[in-house]
Amino acid sequence: MSAEQKRVRGDASPVVRLTNVSKRYGGSTAVALDQVSLSVSPGEIFGIIGQSGAGKSTLIRLLNALERPSEGQVEVDGVDLAGLSPAELRTLRRRIGMIFQNFGLLSSRTVAGNVAFPLELTDATRTDRNAKVAALLSRVGLAEYADRYPAQLSGGQKQRVGIARALATDPDVLLCDEATSALDPETTRSVLGLLRDLNRELGLTIVLITHEMDVVRTVCDRVAVLDHGRLVETGAVADIFESGAHPATRRMLAALSL
Ligand code: ADP
């Protein structure tokens, strides 16, 4: 069921929920994540901010089940990821779209070929696939670029291809891992504007990991601040900007006004 359908039904059970999640990497006594609990509601744009080493990448890897928690539960669409077989995990991953700082496009494939890639792993017919790819490229403003190769595109265009590819399987949630960190400020604004539009039009739930408060301010509804693996503050973006009190939050806000 899409986030929009859930909203219409008034069913706001979280799309993503972490309950007392801790993560220690093999053999290490240091904690990358320490008792983190959070939940993301359907249709929300949820930011997770922290400095380098705070645990952001670890959190993303737990959400798409590339890592398992040492303790606690990670649920997507109400399903505990720990209980899934490899086949069930593959199915669930189609409901989780992902975009990356370095775009992760296949250089040997055209723009259309990149967007079609996740659909080739489903049983969609070639006609349906082509129609879907055309609609997605048009939605991200790249209808004219279908036959180009990634090397012929700007950074902003590459990230639009990444977004189109991530949406190909109609995910319930889009994970954005420092998705605008490689882009200049103007391109960042334009990509964040596209994410906001997709959120409004499709009811797409977005979890966005960043080290930049400016990104949070521009696009997020709520934000959680991670510091040394601990979630130190969570709230509506306006409240955190106005009265965020934790030193880690103050540091991120101070960096913004430089
Ligand atoms: P961020 O993405 O916020 O920079 P990370 O999740 O990458 O933070 O890292 C959190 C902590 O976990 C850091 O102390 C880092 O050194 C440690 N860490 C991350 N990945 C690994 C790994 N594969 N093995 C051991 N330690 C790791």
Side-chain angles (χ1 to χ4, degrees), residues 23-26 28 30-33 49-61 67 177-178 209-211 226 228-229:
K23 176 70 185 174
R24 278 172 224 90
Y25 285 99
S28 165
V31 228
L33 284 180
I49 190 162
Q51 290 177 323
S52 181
K56 304 182 296 297
S57 314
T58 300
L59 203 153
I60 280 251
R61 290 202 296 271
E67 297 280 356
D177 187 5
E178 297 281 5
I209 301 271
T210 182
H211 66 281
L226 262 184
H228 295 101

Short mmCIF file of all heavy atoms in Angstrom, two decimals, residues 23-26 28 30-33 49-61 67 177-178 209-211 226 228-229, ligand 1:
data_model
loop_
_atom_site.label_atom_id
_atom_site.label_comp_id
_atom_site.label_asym_id
_atom_site.label_seq_id
_atom_site.Cartn_x
_atom_site.Cartn_y
_atom_site.Cartn_z
N LYS A 23 24.45 -0.65 17.65
CA LYS A 23 25.29 -1.36 16.69
C LYS A 23 26.75 -1.24 17.10
O LYS A 23 27.27 -0.14 17.30
CB LYS A 23 25.10 -0.75 15.29
CG LYS A 23 26.02 -1.35 14.24
CD LYS A 23 25.66 -2.78 13.91
CE LYS A 23 26.65 -3.41 12.95
NZ LYS A 23 26.38 -4.84 12.73
N ARG A 24 27.37 -2.40 17.29
CA ARG A 24 28.83 -2.48 17.47
C ARG A 24 29.35 -3.28 16.30
O ARG A 24 28.76 -4.29 15.95
CB ARG A 24 29.17 -3.23 18.76
CG ARG A 24 29.10 -2.38 20.00
CD ARG A 24 29.27 -3.20 21.27
NE ARG A 24 28.29 -2.77 22.26
CZ ARG A 24 27.06 -3.27 22.40
NH1 ARG A 24 26.67 -4.29 21.66
NH2 ARG A 24 26.22 -2.78 23.28
N TYR A 25 30.43 -2.82 15.69
CA TYR A 25 30.99 -3.58 14.57
C TYR A 25 31.87 -4.69 15.11
O TYR A 25 32.50 -4.51 16.17
CB TYR A 25 31.77 -2.66 13.64
CG TYR A 25 30.85 -1.80 12.79
CD1 TYR A 25 30.58 -0.49 13.12
CD2 TYR A 25 30.23 -2.34 11.67
CE1 TYR A 25 29.73 0.28 12.35
CE2 TYR A 25 29.37 -1.57 10.89
CZ TYR A 25 29.13 -0.26 11.23
OH TYR A 25 28.28 0.49 10.47
N GLY A 26 31.87 -5.79 14.39
CA GLY A 26 32.57 -7.03 14.77
C GLY A 26 33.82 -6.82 15.61
O GLY A 26 34.78 -6.22 15.15
N SER A 28 34.64 -4.85 17.79
CA SER A 28 34.88 -3.52 18.35
C SER A 28 34.01 -3.30 19.59
O SER A 28 32.87 -3.73 19.65
CB SER A 28 34.56 -2.48 17.28
OG SER A 28 34.46 -1.22 17.87
N ALA A 30 33.60 -0.17 20.66
CA ALA A 30 32.99 1.14 20.44
C ALA A 30 31.59 0.96 19.85
O ALA A 30 31.36 0.04 19.08
CB ALA A 30 33.85 1.95 19.48
N VAL A 31 30.67 1.84 20.25
CA VAL A 31 29.31 1.74 19.75
C VAL A 31 29.09 2.74 18.63
O VAL A 31 29.26 3.93 18.84
CB VAL A 31 28.26 2.07 20.85
CG1 VAL A 31 27.18 1.03 20.91
CG2 VAL A 31 28.90 2.32 22.18
N ALA A 32 28.73 2.24 17.46
CA ALA A 32 28.44 3.14 16.33
C ALA A 32 27.05 3.75 16.50
O ALA A 32 26.82 4.90 16.14
CB ALA A 32 28.54 2.38 15.02
N LEU A 33 26.12 2.96 17.06
CA LEU A 33 24.79 3.48 17.41
C LEU A 33 24.45 2.96 18.80
O LEU A 33 24.70 1.79 19.11
CB LEU A 33 23.72 3.01 16.42
CG LEU A 33 23.67 3.69 15.06
CD1 LEU A 33 22.55 3.08 14.22
CD2 LEU A 33 23.47 5.20 15.18
N ILE A 49 20.56 14.20 11.13
CA ILE A 49 21.74 15.02 10.96
C ILE A 49 22.79 14.68 12.00
O ILE A 49 22.45 14.33 13.14
CB ILE A 49 21.38 16.53 10.99
CG1 ILE A 49 22.59 17.36 10.56
CG2 ILE A 49 20.85 16.97 12.35
CD1 ILE A 49 22.26 18.76 10.14
N GLY A 50 24.04 14.77 11.60
CA GLY A 50 25.12 14.55 12.55
C GLY A 50 26.44 14.78 11.85
O GLY A 50 26.52 14.73 10.62
N GLN A 51 27.47 15.03 12.67
CA GLN A 51 28.79 15.24 12.09
C GLN A 51 29.38 13.91 11.66
O GLN A 51 28.82 12.85 11.97
CB GLN A 51 29.68 15.93 13.12
CG GLN A 51 29.23 17.37 13.35
CD GLN A 51 30.03 18.07 14.42
OE1 GLN A 51 30.40 17.48 15.43
NE2 GLN A 51 30.29 19.35 14.20
N SER A 52 30.52 13.98 11.01
CA SER A 52 31.20 12.77 10.57
C SER A 52 31.46 11.85 11.77
O SER A 52 31.87 12.32 12.83
CB SER A 52 32.51 13.20 9.91
OG SER A 52 33.17 12.07 9.46
N GLY A 53 31.14 10.58 11.61
CA GLY A 53 31.35 9.62 12.70
C GLY A 53 30.17 9.49 13.65
O GLY A 53 30.20 8.68 14.58
N ALA A 54 29.12 10.28 13.43
CA ALA A 54 27.97 10.26 14.35
C ALA A 54 27.18 8.96 14.28
O ALA A 54 26.46 8.61 15.22
CB ALA A 54 27.05 11.45 14.05
N GLY A 55 27.26 8.26 13.14
CA GLY A 55 26.52 7.00 13.00
C GLY A 55 25.49 7.02 11.88
O GLY A 55 24.69 6.09 11.76
N LYS A 56 25.52 8.04 11.03
CA LYS A 56 24.51 8.19 9.98
C LYS A 56 24.54 7.03 8.97
O LYS A 56 23.50 6.46 8.63
CB LYS A 56 24.69 9.52 9.23
CG LYS A 56 24.68 10.74 10.14
CD LYS A 56 24.82 12.03 9.35
CE LYS A 56 26.12 12.21 8.61
NZ LYS A 56 27.33 12.28 9.49
N SER A 57 25.75 6.71 8.48
CA SER A 57 25.83 5.64 7.47
C SER A 57 25.43 4.31 8.08
O SER A 57 24.79 3.48 7.43
CB SER A 57 27.24 5.50 6.93
OG SER A 57 27.76 6.74 6.62
N THR A 58 25.81 4.11 9.32
CA THR A 58 25.42 2.88 10.01
C THR A 58 23.90 2.77 10.06
O THR A 58 23.33 1.71 9.76
CB THR A 58 26.01 2.88 11.45
OG1 THR A 58 27.43 2.97 11.34
CG2 THR A 58 25.61 1.63 12.21
N LEU A 59 23.26 3.88 10.39
CA LEU A 59 21.80 3.87 10.48
C LEU A 59 21.16 3.52 9.12
O LEU A 59 20.24 2.71 9.04
CB LEU A 59 21.34 5.25 10.97
CG LEU A 59 19.99 5.31 11.63
CD1 LEU A 59 19.94 6.46 12.61
CD2 LEU A 59 18.90 5.48 10.62
N ILE A 60 21.69 4.12 8.06
CA ILE A 60 21.17 3.83 6.71
C ILE A 60 21.39 2.36 6.37
O ILE A 60 20.51 1.69 5.84
CB ILE A 60 21.87 4.72 5.66
CG1 ILE A 60 21.25 6.11 5.67
CG2 ILE A 60 21.84 4.09 4.29
CD1 ILE A 60 20.42 6.46 4.46
N ARG A 61 22.57 1.83 6.72
CA ARG A 61 22.85 0.42 6.38
C ARG A 61 21.95 -0.53 7.17
O ARG A 61 21.62 -1.61 6.70
CB ARG A 61 24.33 0.09 6.61
CG ARG A 61 25.25 0.77 5.59
CD ARG A 61 26.59 0.07 5.47
NE ARG A 61 27.35 0.14 6.69
CZ ARG A 61 28.21 1.12 7.00
NH1 ARG A 61 28.41 2.11 6.14
NH2 ARG A 61 28.87 1.11 8.12
N GLU A 67 23.37 -4.16 7.19
CA GLU A 67 23.92 -4.54 8.50
C GLU A 67 22.77 -4.95 9.39
O GLU A 67 21.64 -4.51 9.17
CB GLU A 67 24.61 -3.33 9.17
CG GLU A 67 25.80 -2.77 8.43
CD GLU A 67 27.08 -3.56 8.66
OE1 GLU A 67 27.06 -4.53 9.46
OE2 GLU A 67 28.09 -3.21 8.02
N ASP A 177 21.07 9.36 1.05
CA ASP A 177 22.32 9.33 1.80
C ASP A 177 23.24 10.45 1.31
O ASP A 177 23.92 10.29 0.30
CB ASP A 177 22.98 7.95 1.63
CG ASP A 177 24.19 7.79 2.53
OD1 ASP A 177 24.46 8.69 3.35
OD2 ASP A 177 24.87 6.75 2.41
N GLU A 178 23.24 11.58 2.02
CA GLU A 178 24.06 12.74 1.63
C GLU A 178 23.86 13.06 0.14
O GLU A 178 24.82 13.34 -0.58
CB GLU A 178 25.55 12.49 1.93
CG GLU A 178 25.88 12.30 3.40
CD GLU A 178 25.96 13.60 4.19
OE1 GLU A 178 25.66 14.68 3.63
OE2 GLU A 178 26.30 13.54 5.38
N ILE A 209 19.58 11.66 5.16
CA ILE A 209 20.76 11.73 6.03
C ILE A 209 21.65 12.85 5.52
O ILE A 209 21.94 12.91 4.32
CB ILE A 209 21.53 10.39 5.93
CG1 ILE A 209 20.67 9.22 6.34
CG2 ILE A 209 22.85 10.46 6.68
CD1 ILE A 209 20.71 8.89 7.77
N THR A 210 22.08 13.71 6.42
CA THR A 210 22.91 14.83 5.97
C THR A 210 23.80 15.34 7.10
O THR A 210 23.54 15.06 8.28
CB THR A 210 22.02 15.99 5.44
OG1 THR A 210 22.85 17.04 4.97
CG2 THR A 210 21.10 16.54 6.53
N HIS A 211 24.86 16.08 6.76
CA HIS A 211 25.61 16.78 7.80
C HIS A 211 25.34 18.29 7.70
O HIS A 211 25.96 19.07 8.42
CB HIS A 211 27.11 16.47 7.67
CG HIS A 211 27.73 17.02 6.41
ND1 HIS A 211 27.59 16.40 5.19
CD2 HIS A 211 28.45 18.13 6.19
CE1 HIS A 211 28.21 17.12 4.27
NE2 HIS A 211 28.74 18.18 4.86
N LEU A 226 21.97 13.20 15.64
CA LEU A 226 22.81 12.09 16.11
C LEU A 226 24.15 12.66 16.55
O LEU A 226 24.74 13.49 15.86
CB LEU A 226 23.09 11.13 14.96
CG LEU A 226 22.28 9.86 14.76
CD1 LEU A 226 22.89 9.08 13.59
CD2 LEU A 226 22.21 9.01 16.00
N HIS A 228 27.79 11.04 18.33
CA HIS A 228 28.51 9.87 18.88
C HIS A 228 27.59 8.67 19.05
O HIS A 228 27.61 8.01 20.09
CB HIS A 228 29.17 10.23 20.22
CG HIS A 228 30.25 11.26 20.07
ND1 HIS A 228 30.07 12.59 20.37
CD2 HIS A 228 31.50 11.17 19.60
CE1 HIS A 228 31.17 13.26 20.11
NE2 HIS A 228 32.06 12.42 19.63
N GLY A 229 26.76 8.42 18.04
CA GLY A 229 25.90 7.23 18.06
C GLY A 229 24.62 7.37 18.85
O GLY A 229 23.79 6.47 18.84
P1 ADP B 1 28.76 8.84 9.78
O1 ADP B 1 28.09 8.26 8.60
O2 ADP B 1 27.88 9.74 10.59
O3 ADP B 1 30.06 9.50 9.44
P2 ADP B 1 29.37 6.08 10.52
O4 ADP B 1 28.09 5.36 10.68
O5 ADP B 1 30.14 5.89 9.26
O6 ADP B 1 29.12 7.65 10.80
O7 ADP B 1 30.33 5.71 11.72
C1 ADP B 1 29.93 5.64 13.09
C2 ADP B 1 31.06 4.99 13.90
O8 ADP B 1 31.16 3.62 13.52
C3 ADP B 1 32.42 5.60 13.66
O9 ADP B 1 33.11 5.60 14.89
C4 ADP B 1 33.07 4.67 12.67
O10 ADP B 1 34.47 4.65 12.83
C5 ADP B 1 32.47 3.32 13.06
N1 ADP B 1 32.33 2.41 11.89
C6 ADP B 1 31.61 2.65 10.78
N2 ADP B 1 31.68 1.62 9.92
C7 ADP B 1 32.49 0.69 10.52
C8 ADP B 1 32.94 -0.63 10.17
N3 ADP B 1 32.58 -1.21 9.02
N4 ADP B 1 33.74 -1.28 11.06
C9 ADP B 1 34.10 -0.71 12.24
N5 ADP B 1 33.68 0.51 12.63
C10 ADP B 1 32.91 1.20 11.81
#
